[in-house]
Amino acid sequence: MRVVLGVGGGIAAYKAAELVRVLQQRGCMVEVVMTSAAQQFVQPLTFAALTGRKVITGLWSSNSPEDTLSSAVEHIRVAQDHDTLVVAPATADLLAKFAHGLADDFLSTLYLAFTGRIVLAPAMNTNMWNHPATRQNIEILRSRGHVIVEPADGLLACGTTGPGRLAEPDDIADAVMKVRRDLEGEIVIVTAGPTQEPLDPVRYISNRSSGKMGYAIAEAAAVRGAKVILISGPVNLAPPAGVTLVRVKTACEMREAVMRNLAQSSIVVKAAAVADYHLSAVPDQKVKKTATRFSLELDPTPDILAEVGKKKTDQLLIGFAAETQNLIEEARRKLKTKNCDMVVANLVNREDIGFESDDNEVVLVTRTGDPVHLARAPKREIADQIFDHALLQRLS
Ligand code: PMT
């Protein structure tokens, strides 16, 4: 990620130096822009030493006319060279300028020219933070899709206690990493939820899948810039913003939707709990209850994952394995027999993870390297970690 960090003039400006270090540790290239007020608190040299780059301190160069001309368009160069603008600390003054489009210094000019993601970490006195003008400015900025990293509660430099302290550098870096766009240009197929296999016009076979895991994966991919085709069995979830939703009911319908979109896709994630058996010939009329024992003869459904494994060209194929025992062995078997690049092994006999729960805990099994255990976390976080590892897998 290429981050431009705007440092505003507040006592918390010194924490921006730590933020540079944390962002660099997470693999970001960082360039720093300081307002003139920020330079009253911290010397540009601190940031120059940390980044190894010249720090931008103003709109105008004091050197030759050529320098002045090039610095006059430098905000455009900086806007084009970076994908994320982070402002920390974002003072009340900067928030007001951004909200209302004032552009009278480098940072506010850069803000208007910037088309990438924007993360703002405000810091100020509690009364200033709570003032209706600041609240309105925050709402305006949020409505533009900017991420606001809320200030923390605590003792402030002015001696008062309350919200207004700059969030910790780790928390700001977490928010920055969440807005990464490393799936831009990818077309991701995600399957989610259960399938329903009809037995007659009123009955069906299905399973406990809520769709939460698959929808979390679809959301993570969309937020990271992918075009997402979410092929979903029947669930009670709203589709994540920006994804193309294809609703299906049966395994055969899911297979048809996956195959129709396979050629254009670059990543396929099969999180759906597809029924393994169905009734090939479904009666037209409701089956009547009788006093005698009733048995069903079922046929296997198409194994969509195995078929994708056979037909795929250069797609990254991520399957799931829902198991109640021998988790890793079963995942390895599925990885091999279904020609996957990664299998997400999921224990499904615990109440706190797997089916229906908001959290999950999984093991990533790949062709190379040891299995990677992802500790219990919200499914949305697990989704991000699956992509982090899948992208590394593609590079290896
Ligand atoms: O939806 P939630 O409530 O959030 O629960 C999440 C989950 C437990 C459903 C999910 O994390 C999960 O484990 N999904 C895979 C469920 C499953 O069907 O696993 P399996 O081991 O039976 O199948 C292995 C793989 O083959 C899966 O990727 C599955 O999508 C695929 N498959 C299975 C059968 C079939 N006919 N076609 C398939 O493509």
Side-chain angles (χ1 to χ4, degrees), residues 124-127 130 152-165:
M124 64 197 74
N125 161 272
T126 302
N127 291 341
N130 288 334
D153 244 51
L155 181 64
L156 304 175
C158 53
T160 55
T161 304
R165 279 165 65 93

Side-chain angles (χ1 to χ4, degrees), residues 3-82:
V3 173
V4 53
L5 172 63
V7 183
I11 192 79
Y14 75 95
K15 278 196 187 172
E18 174 66 4
L19 178 58
V20 170
R21 210 182 50 79
V22 176
L23 288 170
Q24 286 171 331
Q25 280 168 351
R26 298 187 188 203
C28 300
M29 297 256 305
V30 185
E31 181 165 356
V32 174
V33 173
M34 296 179 78
T35 63
S36 53
Q39 294 163 56
Q40 301 295 319
F41 292 90
V42 188
Q43 288 293 313
L45 188 60
T46 306
F47 293 103
L50 285 169
T51 59
R53 304 173 79 171
K54 185 174 79 103
V55 172
I56 299 172
T57 52
L59 262 180
W60 311 108
S61 164
S62 52
N63 300 329
S64 64
E66 291 76 28
D67 277 0
T68 305
L69 185 62
S70 68
S71 69
V73 290
E74 202 173 11
H75 58 289
I76 306 295
R77 192 272 304 161
V78 176
Q80 284 167 349
D81 280 0
H82 297 86

Side-chain angles (χ1 to χ4, degrees), residues 191-194 207-214 251 254 270-276 301-306 318-323 334 338 344 346-348 354-357 360 362 379:
T191 69
N207 60 61
R208 288 173 47 210
S209 172
S210 63
K212 287 179 185 172
M213 188 68 246
M254 187 171 276
K270 293 277 297 89
V274 186
D276 288 319
T301 54
D303 190 324
I304 310 166
L305 182 59
I318 305 173
F320 270 68
E323 309 295 340
K334 286 177 180 167
K338 302 185 185 212
V344 182
N346 202 171
L347 267 184
V348 285
F355 284 114
E356 297 166 306
S357 56
N360 215 350
V362 297
K379 282 179 174 166

